[in-house]
Structures are given as C-alpha cells and as structure tokens.
Amino acid sequence: MKRIQDARLYGIVDLGYVTAENVEPMTNQLCVGGVDVLQLRAKKLTSMEIERLARLMLPITRSHGVPLVINDHLEIAAAIGSEGVHVGQDDDAVAKARAVVGPACFVGKSTHSLAQAVAAQAEGADYIGFGPLYATGTKPDYVPIGLNDITEVHRRVTLPIFCIGGVNAARLDEIIAAGARRVVVVSAFLQAGDVSAEVSSLKARLV
Ligand code: TZP
Ligand code: MG
C-alpha cells in the first residue's frame, strides 16, 4: 500500500461528475493512470449509497496499492476499513475523526488559508488540502486563494500539503513554480477523454 507521505497526485471520484454506475470503471482508470491516493466524495448521496460505492471501490484501489479516503463520513470509513478519511473546516474535528476511525486510518483536513493550514497541523491532521487555488465548479461557494501563499504554507507546515482547486494540465507549471509539490485533480481527470492517459501524463510532470 502506498503511503500518504509519499503521495504526489491525489484523485477524487466525485459523484457530481461520475454516475454511480461509472464509479468502478472510473476508479480503475484513475488507478491505472497512477493516482497515489483516491477519495470518494459524494455530497448528495445517502450514507447507505456512499458505503455501497466505497465497497465497490475498495478492491480496485487495494489491487493497485492506492489508499482509499472517504470524504466527510467517519462512520463509513470505520465500517469499511478505508485507509483514510477526510474532514473539512465545518466537519468533525481531527481528534473526533481519529477516535471513530482508529489508529490505522489517516485523517486529512481541508484548509483555505495559511492560518487554517497551521491550525490543522496543530490539530494533528496527517495531511492537508490547501485551496481552492482557482475558482472551481467542483466547490463553487469558495473564494479562490490564488498561488501566493503556497511557498509560505510549505515553510510553516511540515505535513504533506495537497494543493487543490482548478488544478489541470494547463495550470500545472505555474502551480509547481509557485511551490506546490503535491496536487489534487478532480474535474480535469473526471472529464478527460482518456482518463488514465490524462492522469499518467500529469503525474509524469510532478516528479
Ligand atoms: N476542495 C477545495 S477545491 C475542491 C475541493 C474538494 C474541488 C477541486 O476540484 P477541481 O475540479 O479539481 O477544481
Ligand atoms: Mg467535508
């Protein structure tokens, strides 16, 4: 199993872009392309449906050694034994998450500013998301934070930092130039004509 500490490219199966019927083939294409970690994110589905989809993904992600992260739902992560769980600023605290999922499951946290990033590290998160860098339809209610704080967040936070929000092949050079080492890509992968080719070509530029 790949370690979150070594991950550079983080994919998300977001049910805003993928139908439930396509979760398995999409999971497979993302893993074949080479994502280092994969999250299941489904803001509008019931817990029961999310758990069902997570159980479909798990054998695929495991066969590729890719940790599966459950967004928001601690009880699903605990029930299926996913490798990771992810909480946002308005979700449960990291300590609460850890108490539910146990020591074998890593806990990530979304952050939208330098102050939140520093606080997430103090709170004991295992990694952070940092963004949205750009305006994105995947998280439409958030003001983009731009690229200016990327270098500084890497000075202040020693955890793995995954830059997120509007990341795509066309923007990757400026994101890396701004100091990013790890990224999350959602819609640019899920909407690609050839998903695994898009993943592998972007990943090749992250070394
Ligand atoms: N958190 C901050 S931005 C974002 C999340 C979940 C969405 C990123 O999606 P995309 O499609 O890569 O912009
Ligand atoms: Mg959340």
Side-chain angles (χ1 to χ4, degrees):
M1 183 60 61
K2 299 183 197 224
R3 292 157 17 108
I4 189 69
Q5 294 89 339
D6 302 325
R8 307 291 290 274
L9 183 55
Y10 189 136
I12 299 184
V13 173
D14 187 318
L15 274 287
Y17 296 100
V18 183
T19 62
E21 303 74 60
N22 277 325
V23 163
E24 287 176 278
M26 184 60 78
T27 299
N28 191 55
Q29 288 170 70
L30 291 162
C31 288
V32 166
V35 295
D36 298 313
V37 49
L38 191 60
Q39 180 187 118
L40 173 59
R41 181 175 191 263
K43 290 291 180 183
K44 293 180 177 166
L45 272 55
T46 63
S47 293
M48 199 186 286
E49 179 69 351
I50 296 169
E51 179 169 339
R52 187 183 74 81
L53 296 174
R55 289 189 189 278
L56 292 178
M57 292 174 72
L58 209 47
I60 303 169
T61 53
R62 288 212 168 134
S63 75
H64 287 89
V66 171
L68 179 66
V69 179
I70 304 300
N71 189 48
D72 294 338
H73 293 271
L74 308 178
E75 71 294 346
I76 297 175
I80 72 164
S82 68
E83 287 77 20
V85 70
H86 187 93
V87 292
Q89 290 291 319
D90 301 329
D91 298 323
D92 292 306
V94 171
K96 165 75 188 297
R98 225 180 266 296
V100 174
V101 299
C105 181
F106 60 79
V107 180
K109 181 140 181 165
S110 298
T111 69
H112 315 299
S113 66
L114 274 177
Q116 288 180 359
V118 170
Q121 174 156 281
E123 204 192 334
D126 292 305
Y127 75 86
I128 60 169
F130 187 68
L133 303 181
Y134 305 86
T136 172
T138 310
K139 201 150 174 169
D141 298 338
Y142 283 70
V143 179
I145 63 173
L147 306 179
N148 290 339
D149 287 337
I150 294 177
T151 297
E152 186 61 19
V153 76
H154 285 81
R155 281 199 200 103
R156 294 208 219 163
V157 173
T158 58
L159 301 174
I161 300 165
F162 293 88
C163 291
I164 182 168
V167 180
N168 60 33
R171 290 166 168 164
L172 190 65
D173 286 345
E174 67 184 29
I175 295 167
I176 292 171
R181 300 190 59 240
R182 314 167 192 253
V183 294
V184 184
V185 181
V186 189
S187 53
F189 285 164
L190 302 180
Q191 297 182 315
D194 183 337
V195 174
S196 58
E198 190 67 22
V199 175
S200 63
S201 74
L202 196 141
K203 187 174 184 184
R205 297 165 58 195
L206 273 176
V207 287

